[in-house]
Amino acid sequence: MAEVKTEVKALLDQGWEVYTADEVRLEHEAETRRMWLPRGQRTKLSVDRKKTSQSFFGALSLTSKKVKLYPIEGNQNTEQTILSLDRLQRETEAGKIAVVLDNARFHHAKALTDLYEPGQLLERITPIHLPPYAPDHNPVEHVWNAAKSNIANIQRETPEETFGAFASYITGRAFDYDFEHLPLRETRNDFVS
């Protein structure tokens, strides 16, 4: 982790735009309760649950402290990562961009790594990979946690309302998280640490 921090600091000092990026999956579960009162039988309570989910790709800028959020169509995979990184590259004015990614398999796929070469689609992006099993060290993971805990206490009627509340919370504020300033992890129920 020290190597990543040193590399990121050096790139920021040289004027690069550095993002920490990752995918997040948000779920909406709706409950519909029905009570049936047929004649001569006991009351039955029926609960229908419908789960819907939406994935997002987010990139937290370490200079502006703002998150660029892109919805993912379908599953989180290499193709969706390529589309999101291309969009991030087009929306970033800085000439040199570094993106810190975790070690998900699709972040190391040959189809993606070949696109970082000169003359290819993502040539302005330099990837930096976090060490394995280091999700708490990725600042954008703390953005996801803050947004999820902010919207968790209100049950919304439709999935679109839930996903919209999540997106507006993230895009509507700045997050002062970087590799040196991460929020403390709550360990109330964590008997291991």
Side-chain angles (χ1 to χ4, degrees):
M1 198 60 218
E3 294 171 10
V4 171
K5 289 179 184 179
T6 304
E7 186 176 357
V8 165
K9 185 178 181 331
L11 293 174
L12 286 169
D13 291 344
Q14 294 172 20
W16 286 51
E17 182 68 47
V18 180
Y19 292 97
T20 64
D22 199 16
E23 297 82 12
V24 64
R25 181 184 170 110
L26 192 65
E27 292 184 350
H28 173 87
E29 184 174 357
E31 290 185 17
T32 306
R33 298 178 190 267
R34 292 189 182 94
M35 194 175 294
W36 300 91
L37 298 166
R39 243 185 214 158
Q41 294 184 6
R42 298 177 111 191
T43 302
K44 293 182 182 177
L45 184 64
S46 173
V47 179
D48 294 334
R49 293 191 176 186
K50 294 182 180 177
K51 272 192 176 180
T52 307
S53 64
Q54 172 69 52
S55 293
F56 294 93
F57 179 90
L60 171 64
S61 169
L62 296 182
T63 53
S64 71
K65 308 296 184 187
K66 299 289 247 172
V67 176
K68 295 188 180 198
L69 192 68
Y70 308 117
I72 292 176
E73 301 298 325
N75 295 328
Q76 299 174 10
N77 56 29
T78 303
E79 181 183 344
Q80 294 299 321
T81 302
I82 292 169
L83 293 172
S84 299
L85 287 172
D86 181 41
R87 187 168 169 195
L88 176 69
Q89 178 180 253
R90 283 185 277 125
E91 293 177 2
T92 301
E93 294 177 10
K96 297 179 180 177
I97 306 167
V99 179
V100 180
L101 298 162
D102 62 11
N103 276 297
R105 278 181 113 179
F106 51 87
H107 291 166
H108 292 283
K110 186 161 176 44
L112 176 60
T113 56
D114 289 346
L115 295 177
Y116 298 127
E117 300 296 323
Q120 297 297 318
L121 180 67
L122 302 175
E123 67 179 341
R124 289 180 43 216
I125 295 179
T126 300
I128 301 171
H129 293 282
L130 289 172
Y133 309 109
D136 286 345
H137 296 287
N138 191 348
V140 78
E141 291 285 352
H142 297 278
V143 172
W144 303 150
N145 293 341
K148 284 181 178 180
S149 64
N150 179 270
I151 68 166
N153 292 333
I154 300 172
Q155 175 67 42
R156 291 172 175 79
E157 293 295 320
T158 64
E160 291 76 21
E161 289 177 17
T162 301
F163 305 145
F166 179 79
S168 67
Y169 179 85
I170 289 174
T171 56
R173 57 188 34 82
F175 295 91
D176 195 17
Y177 302 154
D178 57 27
F179 292 105
E180 303 300 325
H181 305 96
L182 293 175
L184 295 174
R185 203 178 92 201
E186 288 186 35
T187 57
R188 282 182 290 171
N189 299 326
D190 189 0
F191 298 109
V192 177
S193 39

